[in-house]
Amino acid sequence: MDRVGMMSLSEEEEDDPLRRAAGKLGNAPGLCWVSLASCFMLACSYVGSLYVWKSDLPRDHPAVIKRRFTSVLTVSAISPLFVLVWKELTGIKSDAPLLALMGFRLEGIFNATFLPLLLTMILFLGPLIQLAVDCPWDFIDGLKVGLDPRFWILCLTDMRWLRNQVIAPLTEELVFRACMLPMLVPCTGLSTAIFTCPLFFGIAHFHHVIELLRFRQGTVVSIFLSAAFQFSYTAVFGAYTAFIFIRTGHLIGPVLCHSFCNYIGFPAIFTACEHPQRFTIITFYVTGMVLFFLLLHPMTDPALYGNLPICHLLERGSSDNSWLCS
């Protein structure tokens, strides 16, 4: 090869993070093995941290919750180190800083805070109407409660509320989306990463089986059926928040959507079918789903959120970039 050809190849490798990574690891499968192993170890660290404390108390006991706060917050604080080590092992470089890759940036922050949450609320329009219909308060009374500082003090001193609405959404989205997606994208591409990342998230929730069996909270069959359902639901939800993370380039949207979904829970579809006002409620269920799919792409249009750092990890000219990054 002549000198010009060598210089051209060198410049091309310099501009392409995947080729540079392949050169350091030897081949593309090596990149994927490092990426998958890093994600697996991070998931194990997160789940394993929940069990470093020996206790005979159930998971909802305030003492257990406080100890687990310490564990998951510690793992979450060091989780960016997994990404740094992964970058060092693979040789992948990016023009975007590490925190920007993980969704911590100011560009488009206003849209990223409100639009994904609004989109999720539209999807759950049926359950929201169902809650409103069954709520004993009228709108004014509900507004008064929501604006009462004593209500929020009560929430913030409730360990289960803090876990479900603050700590779990923040730490799980940080670990399973903000840290794992940048490690998966160079290996799998954006589309596959959206569906690969939730598998770690879903499997991580299987640890609930241990506690249910330990405290005999149901038969073995019912516990495993419940775990299978939870895995399916969390995997679908994880794919959705991964999509939001990639399309917006922000962590705040997935965190707020996660917190909202933890509050609403899985839609009570069978209850809605037996409700005295079932026609109205089911109509809103269907309307919400139709509007959600119509608005999914417009409300997550990357043009609303600025430059997407995670798209810098794609191979130049990749067709996977065409619909998710633009």
Side-chain angles (χ1 to χ4, degrees):
M1 183 182 295
D2 60 20
R3 184 177 182 82
V4 175
M6 292 177 63
M7 290 177 61
S8 175
L9 180 60
S10 176
E11 291 172 358
E12 190 174 357
E13 289 179 347
E14 182 67 24
D15 291 338
D16 193 334
L18 291 187
R19 294 195 181 195
R20 190 164 54 247
K24 185 165 184 174
L25 287 173
N27 50 41
L31 167 64
C32 290
W33 276 113
V34 172
S35 298
L36 293 173
S38 299
C39 291
F40 179 75
M41 287 189 291
L42 183 53
C44 290
S45 299
Y46 186 91
V47 176
S49 72
L50 300 173
Y51 294 95
V52 296
W53 311 97
K54 292 184 178 180
S55 175
D56 294 326
L57 299 172
R59 66 185 293 268
D60 286 336
H61 193 282
V64 174
I65 295 175
K66 288 179 182 179
R67 290 172 182 172
R68 289 185 169 185
F69 280 178
T70 303
S71 300
V72 297
L73 287 172
T74 300
V75 172
S76 299
I78 64 174
S79 60
L81 295 178
F82 282 78
V83 187
L84 285 174
V85 171
W86 167 82
K87 289 180 70 176
E88 182 62 28
L89 290 174
T90 60
I92 287 182
K93 305 295 181 183
S94 172
D95 295 334
L98 176 64
L99 289 179
L101 282 175
M102 294 173 57
F104 293 96
R105 59 196 189 94
L106 293 178
E107 185 183 16
I109 186 67
F110 181 84
N111 288 340
T113 301
F114 294 103
L115 292 183
L117 179 59
L118 178 59
L119 180 65
T120 307
M121 293 175 72
I122 290 172
L123 175 63
F124 283 81
L125 185 59
L128 287 173
I129 295 299
Q130 189 173 347
L131 284 174
V133 169
D134 294 337
C135 183
W137 303 326
D138 59 24
F139 177 77
I140 299 300
D141 289 338
L143 191 61
K144 288 179 180 178
V145 171
L147 295 176
D148 190 342
R150 291 173 297 179
F151 168 76
W152 292 105
I153 292 173
L154 186 64
C155 289
L156 292 171
T157 53
D158 184 338
M159 290 297 103
R160 286 186 298 178
W161 187 92
L162 272 178
R163 178 192 63 194
N164 297 337
Q165 309 307 136
V166 180
I167 302 299
L170 177 61
T171 58
E172 289 179 2
E173 294 304 318
L174 174 61
V175 169
F176 292 95
R177 244 66 70 188
C179 289
M180 288 192 183
L181 281 171
M183 293 192 288
L184 289 172
V185 164
C187 165
T188 65
L190 292 173
S191 301
T192 306
I194 287 176
F195 296 101
T196 304
C197 185
L199 297 180
F200 294 99
F201 183 59
I203 292 172
H205 282 73
F206 259 98
H207 73 91
H208 294 313
V209 172
I210 300 172
E211 296 182 353
L212 292 174
L213 290 172
R214 181 183 175 190
F215 292 101
R216 299 177 181 176
Q217 297 177 356
T219 64
V220 174
V221 174
S222 65
I223 288 172
F224 276 95
L225 286 176
S226 175
F229 174 78
Q230 187 179 35
F231 170 79
S232 302
Y233 178 65
T234 53
V236 171
F237 172 77
Y240 172 62
T241 55
F243 176 85
I244 293 295
F245 180 86
I246 288 174
R247 291 277 286 179
T248 66
H250 283 273
L251 179 61
I252 184 66
V255 170
L256 293 177
C257 293
H258 193 148
S259 180
F260 172 78
C261 289
N262 278 0
Y263 174 75
I264 295 294
F266 189 80
I269 300 173
F270 294 109
T271 304
C273 293
E274 299 173 355
H275 199 279
Q277 301 184 42
R278 55 183 172 272
F279 178 78
T280 300
I281 293 174
I282 292 173
T283 298
F284 278 105
Y285 265 84
V286 175
T287 301
M289 288 188 289
V290 171
L291 288 175
F292 171 78
F293 285 109
L294 289 175
L295 296 172
L296 179 60
H297 279 267
M299 291 184 69
T300 61
D301 187 343
L304 297 170
Y305 307 98
N307 187 37
L308 302 183
I310 198 167
C311 292
H312 296 174
L313 298 175
L314 287 172
E315 185 176 4
R316 287 193 309 169
S318 171
S319 59
D320 192 47
N321 178 31
S322 58
W323 68 282
L324 283 169
C325 290
S326 59

PDB file of all heavy atoms in Angstrom, residues 95-106:
ATOM      1  N   ASP A  95     -16.492  12.653  20.678  1.00  0.00           N
ATOM      2  CA  ASP A  95     -16.336  14.086  20.871  1.00  0.00           C
ATOM      3  C   ASP A  95     -17.141  14.566  22.074  1.00  0.00           C
ATOM      4  O   ASP A  95     -16.822  15.588  22.673  1.00  0.00           O
ATOM      5  CB  ASP A  95     -16.799  14.850  19.620  1.00  0.00           C
ATOM      6  CG  ASP A  95     -15.921  14.562  18.416  1.00  0.00           C
ATOM      7  OD1 ASP A  95     -14.735  14.216  18.635  1.00  0.00           O
ATOM      8  OD2 ASP A  95     -16.402  14.672  17.272  1.00  0.00           O
ATOM      9  N   ALA A  96     -18.191  13.852  22.416  1.00  0.00           N
ATOM     10  CA  ALA A  96     -19.053  14.242  23.533  1.00  0.00           C
ATOM     11  C   ALA A  96     -18.441  13.812  24.858  1.00  0.00           C
ATOM     12  O   ALA A  96     -17.890  12.716  24.975  1.00  0.00           O
ATOM     13  CB  ALA A  96     -20.429  13.622  23.370  1.00  0.00           C
ATOM     14  N   PRO A  97     -18.521  14.652  25.884  1.00  0.00           N
ATOM     15  CA  PRO A  97     -18.046  14.253  27.213  1.00  0.00           C
ATOM     16  C   PRO A  97     -18.851  13.083  27.761  1.00  0.00           C
ATOM     17  O   PRO A  97     -19.968  12.815  27.315  1.00  0.00           O
ATOM     18  CB  PRO A  97     -18.280  15.524  28.067  1.00  0.00           C
ATOM     19  CG  PRO A  97     -18.473  16.635  27.093  1.00  0.00           C
ATOM     20  CD  PRO A  97     -19.044  16.027  25.864  1.00  0.00           C
ATOM     21  N   LEU A  98     -18.281  12.394  28.743  1.00  0.00           N
ATOM     22  CA  LEU A  98     -18.927  11.222  29.316  1.00  0.00           C
ATOM     23  C   LEU A  98     -20.304  11.551  29.870  1.00  0.00           C
ATOM     24  O   LEU A  98     -21.283  10.823  29.639  1.00  0.00           O
ATOM     25  CB  LEU A  98     -18.050  10.626  30.429  1.00  0.00           C
ATOM     26  CG  LEU A  98     -18.653   9.427  31.184  1.00  0.00           C
ATOM     27  CD1 LEU A  98     -18.852   8.257  30.248  1.00  0.00           C
ATOM     28  CD2 LEU A  98     -17.772   9.048  32.365  1.00  0.00           C
ATOM     29  N   LEU A  99     -20.422  12.658  30.614  1.00  0.00           N
ATOM     30  CA  LEU A  99     -21.705  13.015  31.211  1.00  0.00           C
ATOM     31  C   LEU A  99     -22.758  13.308  30.149  1.00  0.00           C
ATOM     32  O   LEU A  99     -23.935  12.999  30.331  1.00  0.00           O
ATOM     33  CB  LEU A  99     -21.543  14.220  32.146  1.00  0.00           C
ATOM     34  CG  LEU A  99     -20.785  13.951  33.446  1.00  0.00           C
ATOM     35  CD1 LEU A  99     -20.678  15.238  34.270  1.00  0.00           C
ATOM     36  CD2 LEU A  99     -21.468  12.864  34.270  1.00  0.00           C
ATOM     37  N   ALA A 100     -22.339  13.894  29.037  1.00  0.00           N
ATOM     38  CA  ALA A 100     -23.283  14.159  27.945  1.00  0.00           C
ATOM     39  C   ALA A 100     -23.764  12.846  27.328  1.00  0.00           C
ATOM     40  O   ALA A 100     -24.952  12.697  27.002  1.00  0.00           O
ATOM     41  CB  ALA A 100     -22.639  15.039  26.882  1.00  0.00           C
ATOM     42  N   LEU A 101     -22.859  11.884  27.170  1.00  0.00           N
ATOM     43  CA  LEU A 101     -23.253  10.562  26.662  1.00  0.00           C
ATOM     44  C   LEU A 101     -24.272   9.898  27.583  1.00  0.00           C
ATOM     45  O   LEU A 101     -25.143   9.156  27.135  1.00  0.00           O
ATOM     46  CB  LEU A 101     -22.034   9.658  26.535  1.00  0.00           C
ATOM     47  CG  LEU A 101     -21.111   9.849  25.336  1.00  0.00           C
ATOM     48  CD1 LEU A 101     -19.906   8.933  25.462  1.00  0.00           C
ATOM     49  CD2 LEU A 101     -21.849   9.585  24.036  1.00  0.00           C
ATOM     50  N   MET A 102     -24.166  10.209  28.877  1.00  0.00           N
ATOM     51  CA  MET A 102     -25.059   9.605  29.860  1.00  0.00           C
ATOM     52  C   MET A 102     -26.335  10.422  30.067  1.00  0.00           C
ATOM     53  O   MET A 102     -27.133  10.096  30.949  1.00  0.00           O
ATOM     54  CB  MET A 102     -24.320   9.443  31.189  1.00  0.00           C
ATOM     55  CG  MET A 102     -23.172   8.446  31.124  1.00  0.00           C
ATOM     56  SD  MET A 102     -22.187   8.418  32.636  1.00  0.00           S
ATOM     57  CE  MET A 102     -23.436   8.042  33.861  1.00  0.00           C
ATOM     58  N   GLY A 103     -26.518  11.461  29.269  1.00  0.00           N
ATOM     59  CA  GLY A 103     -27.777  12.209  29.338  1.00  0.00           C
ATOM     60  C   GLY A 103     -27.783  13.388  30.276  1.00  0.00           C
ATOM     61  O   GLY A 103     -28.849  13.959  30.546  1.00  0.00           O
ATOM     62  N   PHE A 104     -26.604  13.785  30.769  1.00  0.00           N
ATOM     63  CA  PHE A 104     -26.521  14.960  31.639  1.00  0.00           C
ATOM     64  C   PHE A 104     -26.041  16.151  30.808  1.00  0.00           C
ATOM     65  O   PHE A 104     -24.846  16.345  30.607  1.00  0.00           O
ATOM     66  CB  PHE A 104     -25.540  14.717  32.796  1.00  0.00           C
ATOM     67  CG  PHE A 104     -25.993  13.670  33.770  1.00  0.00           C
ATOM     68  CD1 PHE A 104     -25.557  12.356  33.648  1.00  0.00           C
ATOM     69  CD2 PHE A 104     -26.863  13.982  34.796  1.00  0.00           C
ATOM     70  CE1 PHE A 104     -25.966  11.379  34.537  1.00  0.00           C
ATOM     71  CE2 PHE A 104     -27.280  13.007  35.701  1.00  0.00           C
ATOM     72  CZ  PHE A 104     -26.830  11.711  35.572  1.00  0.00           C
ATOM     73  N   ARG A 105     -26.974  16.924  30.299  1.00  0.00           N
ATOM     74  CA  ARG A 105     -26.634  18.094  29.496  1.00  0.00           C
ATOM     75  C   ARG A 105     -27.786  19.091  29.557  1.00  0.00           C
ATOM     76  O   ARG A 105     -28.910  18.734  29.931  1.00  0.00           O
ATOM     77  CB  ARG A 105     -26.327  17.699  28.049  1.00  0.00           C
ATOM     78  CG  ARG A 105     -27.456  17.002  27.337  1.00  0.00           C
ATOM     79  CD  ARG A 105     -26.998  16.280  26.072  1.00  0.00           C
ATOM     80  NE  ARG A 105     -28.146  15.801  25.296  1.00  0.00           N
ATOM     81  CZ  ARG A 105     -28.716  16.460  24.295  1.00  0.00           C
ATOM     82  NH1 ARG A 105     -28.210  17.638  23.922  1.00  0.00           N
ATOM     83  NH2 ARG A 105     -29.758  15.986  23.659  1.00  0.00           N
ATOM     84  N   LEU A 106     -27.499  20.332  29.192  1.00  0.00           N
ATOM     85  CA  LEU A 106     -28.483  21.404  29.310  1.00  0.00           C
ATOM     86  C   LEU A 106     -29.241  21.675  28.016  1.00  0.00           C
ATOM     87  O   LEU A 106     -30.384  22.143  28.052  1.00  0.00           O
ATOM     88  CB  LEU A 106     -27.802  22.695  29.782  1.00  0.00           C
ATOM     89  CG  LEU A 106     -27.235  22.673  31.200  1.00  0.00           C
ATOM     90  CD1 LEU A 106     -26.540  23.994  31.511  1.00  0.00           C
ATOM     91  CD2 LEU A 106     -28.346  22.403  32.227  1.00  0.00           C
TER      92      LEU A 106
END
